[in-house]
Amino acid sequence: MAPTRVVVLVSGGGTNLQSLLDAEATGALSPATVVGVISNRPGVRALERAAAAGVPARVVDHREHADRSSFDAALRREVEAFGAHLVVLAGFMRVLTATFLAGLEDRVVNIHPSLLPAFPGVRAQSQALQHGVKVTGCTVHFVDAGLDTGAIIAQAAVPVLDEDTEESLQARVLVEEHRLLPAAVADLAAGRLRREGRRVYRQP
Ligand code: GRF
């Protein structure tokens, strides 16, 4: 099977990017291969991770664009330049609009640190603590023009402990993110996912 070319969008630390690179190194991402990384912020750790793995990286700085549509168009051009089949948002902290997403239906996925539809948007772990939930987790979902609203591909649950802080909960959720995201990307690349409306089925 021809490799599925994956471009990863990042904004910061890039531990989810690292989980994809590590999975590729062991063969667990196959038939997907990470061909490029794009950050909306210069100087972030995720760019160092890309360099260490020998993966080309670009910066499309949102601050250099007057509006969201111009940023999205520039981002889309870089994604096309990498010849991407699949775009993975891994700690990418910008909401994408139809300008970016047009024609990429079911080819853009995001990892979010909650059991969606609970706690969309920023600081999901803080939202979980504020609501007093006993279980939270993470979700891989297709990206649409809403905020963390696309069809759900995979989820993993994580317990919330009485002594948790935002940081300790974030760390426990990240362990599951790093397992869930590469598995979902491999499933998508291998054609093991079938979507009907909002429901995504995994066939072995
Ligand atoms: C992760 O929790 C991800 O789900 C969220 O932002 C965090 C970024 O982590 N969107 P990293 O940059 O992959 O380390």
Side-chain angles (χ1 to χ4, degrees):
M1 188 184 282
T4 298
R5 298 172 64 82
V6 175
V7 168
V8 184
L9 307 191
V10 297
S11 297
T15 64
N16 278 292
L17 166 65
Q18 191 67 55
S19 76
L20 294 167
L21 297 170
D22 292 348
E24 183 169 358
T26 67
L29 204 63
S30 174
T33 178
V34 179
V35 296
V37 170
I38 306 174
S39 173
N40 67 303
R41 291 183 183 279
V44 295
R45 174 90 176 92
L47 292 168
E48 293 170 20
R49 295 179 191 274
V55 174
R58 309 267 181 277
V59 174
V60 180
D61 191 334
H62 62 279
R63 293 167 303 188
E64 291 173 2
H65 292 271
D67 53 39
R68 208 174 271 278
S69 158
S70 146
F71 169 72
D72 274 18
L75 196 60
R76 178 67 185 259
R77 279 195 296 276
E78 293 294 345
V79 164
E80 302 287 345
F82 277 123
H85 302 126
L86 194 59
V87 178
V88 177
L89 278 50
F92 183 69
M93 304 303 282
R94 309 290 297 176
V95 175
L96 296 171
T97 66
T99 306
F100 180 88
L101 294 169
L104 291 180
E105 288 79 20
D106 294 353
R107 289 172 52 200
V108 186
V109 302
N110 179 45
I111 176 93
H112 181 78
S114 75
L115 292 175
L116 291 171
F119 316 138
V122 295
R123 300 191 67 191
Q125 303 89 343
S126 164
Q127 294 183 56
L129 291 174
Q130 277 167 22
H131 280 81
V133 297
K134 303 302 183 190
V135 177
T136 186
C138 52
T139 303
V140 178
H141 64 93
F142 285 115
V143 174
D144 61 17
L147 180 62
D148 302 323
T149 51
I152 290 170
I153 296 171
Q155 293 187 304
V158 173
V160 180
L161 307 181
D162 288 352
E163 60 271 26
D164 264 334
T165 61
E166 193 176 344
E167 290 70 32
S168 65
L169 182 55
Q170 180 178 30
R172 194 175 314 110
V173 172
L174 269 176
V175 172
E176 290 303 313
E177 292 185 45
H178 297 160
R179 189 184 59 75
L180 200 68
L181 182 61
V185 169
D187 281 346
L188 196 53
R192 287 189 289 267
L193 302 180
R194 181 173 56 86
R195 175 146 97 96
E196 286 178 26
R198 287 204 60 86
R199 298 192 67 180
V200 179
Y201 302 93
R202 181 180 187 277
Q203 34 222 0

